[in-house]
């Protein structure tokens, strides 16, 4: 009887975990439309056009008296939204871990972002300051909500499930993005038949993303459950002080910090490509809005397959090696983008296909890999730091992009400058011994990770045959297994 009871309890736990996982997927379904329709497709070119309508004869707008080239206003607004997120996320993350009540905080962040996005319907004429304000609020709220959402992953998925669960979440998000983009494309291209101007059609597309976000956020908020938090001393600290306290705690787990540093660098490049690609296509390549929508739709469709495919590759080759391969593909694709001819949508679609195949998998596997490196009981606090890398610390890429354009007047120079993020991120990630990092964080090593012990050999850029240093007697992995 006792054995039967244990089996029943285990089955109930597994069923409850699967129910939470299905609800968890739906937050990606809800919020990814904002990232796709708003940040990636419509808001960049549209806010740039609104800023240009308000610009002086030299092409500058003057928010708070500061001269800003109209073409850089969107990129600078993204950077400002990140600074706001930097102040808020560590505080919210620490409060969530101490209270164990993530759902109310997730709901507040999600509906703040959804309301700001819906408010973009009123962005017309020369109201570029309103657009910048709504972008800052929505982006910061999205960052906070994603931090809380990601922190559920270690609680709802067993270690050996996380690559697959994380990949399915990203796939759900990209599927939603593709579905809504189809509707956006119909509305935008046939706006006359709907009795709308082009500007009105864009504003409807922006607002609909906020309504979608708010409606489908109800599903995870009903299915996810809060866990009782272990007793912890102290209280949440303001903004940067809480972030500094989290980083000090991370110093006790230097390999976790090393992974986060690598992720900070390469994901900064990913996020900047996502947010600035439509500006590059419209301003430098002279492509129309319909072409950009089709290109992003292609990214969304292929990203679903790419996320699932890279998840399968991770089971065979390990998450780390799969991520490294994706960074090589990012570097090649971005460098090729520099040479795209203007007015040639076919080549832009080829570039979009390359991005789509690696986009979802590189992000999903990074999230699941980091979840193994988080000490138990500090999920939200550590994922606050992770989110600073994911979206929060991506201020540097847009800033570099905006500054490069401001100094050179060329979006080609701006886009190729981002290659450095992928090259440096690859080098940093290749040197992180993941299995040892999992053990140092106090977590069980998932099935499929090698248990061999060999003399440590750290390879420059992770390539065999290029030894950088040797440490006798240290626990490590052979080159092949180190990638897992």
């Amino acid at each position: 009887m006792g054995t039967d009871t244990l089996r029943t309890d285990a089955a109930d736990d597994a069923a409850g975990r699967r129910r939470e996982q299905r609800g968890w997927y739906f937050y990606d379904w809800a919020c990814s439309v904002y990232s796709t329709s708003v940040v990636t497709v419509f808001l960049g070119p549209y806010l740039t056009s609104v800023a240009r309508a308000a610009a002086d004869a030299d092409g500058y707008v003057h928010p708070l008296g500061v001269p800003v080239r109209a073409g850089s206003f969107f990129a600078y607004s993204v950077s400002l939204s990140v600074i706001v997120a930097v102040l808020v996320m560590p505080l919210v993350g620490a409060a969530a871990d101490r209270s164990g009540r993530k759902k109310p905080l997730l709901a507040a962040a999600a509906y703040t972002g959804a309301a700001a996005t819906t408010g973009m319907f009123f962005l017309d004429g020369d109201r570029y300051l309103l657009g910048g304000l709504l972008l800052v609020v929505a982006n910061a709220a999205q960052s906070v909500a994603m931090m809380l959402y990601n922190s559920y992953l270690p609680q709802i998925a067993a270690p050996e499930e996380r690559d697959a669960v994380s990949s399915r979440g990203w796939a759900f998000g990209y599927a939603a993005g593709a579905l809504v983009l189809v509707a956006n494309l119909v509305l935008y291209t046939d706006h006359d038949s709907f009795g709308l101007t082009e500007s009105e059609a864009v504003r409807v597309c922006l607002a609909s993303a906020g309504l979608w976000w708010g409606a489908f956020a109800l599903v995870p908020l009903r299915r996810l459950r809060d866990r009782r938090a272990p007793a912890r001393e102290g209280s949440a600290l303001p903004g940067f002080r809480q972030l500094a306290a989290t980083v000090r705690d991370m110093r006790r787990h230097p390999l976790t910090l090393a992974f986060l540093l690598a992720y900070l660098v390469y994901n900064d490049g990913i996020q900047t490509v996502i947010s600035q690609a439509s500006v590059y296509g419209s301003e430098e390549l002279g492509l129309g809005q319909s072409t950009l929508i089709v290109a992003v739709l292609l990214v969304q469709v292929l990203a679903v397959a790419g996320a699932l495919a890279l998840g399968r590759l991770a089971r065979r080759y390990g998450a780390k090696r799969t991520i490294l391969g994706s960074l090589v593909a990012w570097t090649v694709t971005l460098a090729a983008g520099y040479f795209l001819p203007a007015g040639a949508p076919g080549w832009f679609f080829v570039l979009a296909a390359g991005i789509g195949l690696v986009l979802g998998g590189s992000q999903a596997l990074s999230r699941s890999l980091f979840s193994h490196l988080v000490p138990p009981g500090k999920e939200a606090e550590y994922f606050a730091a992770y989110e600073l890398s994911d979206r929060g610390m991506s201020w540097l890429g847009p800033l570099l992009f905006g500054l490069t354009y401001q100094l050179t007047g060329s979006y080609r120079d701006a886009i190729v400058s981002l290659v450095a993020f992928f090259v440096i991120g690859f080098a940093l990630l290749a040197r992180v011994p993941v299995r040892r990092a999992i053990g140092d964080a106090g977590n069980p090593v998932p099935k499929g990770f090698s248990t061999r012990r060999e003399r440590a050999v750290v390879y420059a850029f992770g390539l065999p045959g290029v030894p950088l240093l040797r440490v006798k007697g240290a626990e490590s992995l052979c080159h092949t297994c180190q990638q897992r």
Side-chain angles (χ1 to χ4, degrees), residues 64 136 151 153 204 343 425-426:
L64 303 179
V136 168
S151 70
L153 181 58
V204 168
F426 182 101

Side-chain angles (χ1 to χ4, degrees), residues 40 49 109 115 124 167 175 212 243 318 335 363 389 395 420 453 461 479:
T40 306
S49 70
D124 62 351
S167 296
W212 178 284
L243 177 60
Q363 293 177 310
S389 303
W395 60 270
R453 300 164 59 96
F461 300 100
H479 171 73

Side-chain angles (χ1 to χ4, degrees), residues 269-322:
I270 293 175
Q271 294 301 323
T272 307
V273 173
I274 292 172
S275 65
Q276 304 301 322
S278 60
V279 176
Y280 178 69
S282 63
E283 300 297 323
E284 183 67 36
L285 303 182
L287 302 176
Q289 190 73 59
S290 298
T291 299
L292 297 176
I293 295 174
V294 173
V296 176
L297 179 60
L298 180 62
V299 169
Q300 300 299 302
V301 172
L302 290 178
V304 175
L308 297 176
L310 264 65
R312 293 179 64 88
L313 288 174
R315 288 200 295 271
R316 180 172 181 180
Y317 298 107
K320 180 181 169 183
R321 292 192 73 182
T322 306

Side-chain angles (χ1 to χ4, degrees), residues 56-204:
D56 59 22
D58 296 322
Y60 285 85
V61 290
H62 300 269
L64 303 179
V66 178
V68 174
R69 191 188 289 264
S72 296
F73 180 74
F74 173 69
Y76 290 153
S77 297
V78 173
S79 295
L80 179 59
S81 73
V82 173
I83 295 173
V84 175
V86 167
L87 293 171
V88 176
M89 279 195 294
L91 178 62
V92 174
D97 283 336
R98 285 181 169 85
S99 67
R101 293 177 56 78
K102 296 179 185 177
K103 280 211 300 185
L105 296 170
L106 176 60
Y111 284 103
T112 297
T117 306
T118 305
M120 291 177 185
F121 177 78
F122 301 102
L123 175 59
D124 62 351
D126 59 357
R127 298 178 179 175
Y128 76 97
L129 282 176
L130 174 63
L133 175 62
L134 292 176
L135 172 59
V136 168
V137 172
N139 252 16
Q142 165 74 328
S143 296
V144 173
M146 283 300 295
M147 173 268 293
L148 294 165
Y149 163 73
N150 287 337
S151 70
Y152 274 101
L153 181 58
Q155 296 176 334
I156 66 173
E160 61 274 10
E161 296 178 313
R162 290 181 198 167
D163 286 347
V165 170
S166 184
S167 296
R168 290 189 199 113
W170 281 106
F172 260 64
Y174 285 118
L179 178 64
V180 174
L181 267 184
V182 170
N184 290 159
L185 181 61
V186 172
L187 178 64
Y188 180 80
T189 55
D190 294 333
H191 57 82
D192 288 335
S193 63
F194 289 98
L196 300 172
T197 66
E198 182 176 327
S199 172
E200 289 170 342
V202 171
R203 291 189 286 119
V204 168

Side-chain angles (χ1 to χ4, degrees), residues 144-419:
V144 173
M146 283 300 295
M147 173 268 293
L148 294 165
Y149 163 73
N150 287 337
S151 70
Y152 274 101
L153 181 58
Q155 296 176 334
I156 66 173
E160 61 274 10
E161 296 178 313
R162 290 181 198 167
D163 286 347
V165 170
S166 184
S167 296
R168 290 189 199 113
W170 281 106
F172 260 64
Y174 285 118
L179 178 64
V180 174
L181 267 184
V182 170
N184 290 159
L185 181 61
V186 172
L187 178 64
Y188 180 80
T189 55
D190 294 333
H191 57 82
D192 288 335
S193 63
F194 289 98
L196 300 172
T197 66
E198 182 176 327
S199 172
E200 289 170 342
V202 171
R203 291 189 286 119
V204 168
C205 291
L206 293 172
S208 66
L211 296 175
W212 178 284
W213 186 357
F216 284 103
L218 291 172
V219 178
L221 291 174
R222 286 180 60 86
R223 293 201 171 187
L224 293 172
R225 62 184 180 86
D226 288 328
R227 271 84 172 165
R228 184 182 299 276
R232 293 174 58 183
E233 297 181 357
S235 59
L237 301 171
F240 281 117
R241 291 179 60 194
Q242 181 60 58
L243 177 60
T246 301
V247 172
R248 284 196 300 270
D249 186 75
M250 280 186 171
R251 291 176 65 183
R252 299 190 297 109
H253 306 284
L255 296 180
T256 299
L257 196 57
F259 171 82
L260 194 61
L261 175 62
Y263 180 69
L264 182 154
V265 174
Y266 70 74
N267 193 66
D268 202 344
I270 293 175
Q271 294 301 323
T272 307
V273 173
I274 292 172
S275 65
Q276 304 301 322
S278 60
V279 176
Y280 178 69
S282 63
E283 300 297 323
E284 183 67 36
L285 303 182
L287 302 176
Q289 190 73 59
S290 298
T291 299
L292 297 176
I293 295 174
V294 173
V296 176
L297 179 60
L298 180 62
V299 169
Q300 300 299 302
V301 172
L302 290 178
V304 175
L308 297 176
L310 264 65
R312 293 179 64 88
L313 288 174
R315 288 200 295 271
R316 180 172 181 180
Y317 298 107
K320 180 181 169 183
R321 292 192 73 182
T322 306
I323 295 170
L324 289 172
S326 75
L327 296 182
V328 173
W330 272 108
T331 301
V332 172
T333 302
L334 196 60
Y338 177 83
F339 299 101
L340 289 184
W347 286 109
F348 192 71
F349 292 153
V350 172
L351 181 72
I355 291 174
L357 289 173
V358 295
L359 176 60
S362 56
Q363 293 177 310
L365 294 177
S366 297
R367 177 172 64 184
S368 62
L369 185 54
F370 183 72
S371 73
H372 295 294
L373 310 181
V374 177
K378 296 188 176 182
E379 291 84 4
E381 187 176 341
Y382 272 56
F383 267 105
Y386 176 87
E387 190 64 23
L388 291 177
S389 303
D390 188 359
R391 297 176 191 269
M393 289 305 292
S394 56
W395 60 270
L396 183 58
L399 182 61
L400 176 62
F401 188 94
L403 284 174
T404 303
Y405 175 75
Q406 180 143 341
L407 294 174
T408 68
S410 170
Y411 282 108
R412 291 186 187 272
D413 293 336
I415 201 73
V416 81
S417 69
L418 303 178
V419 168

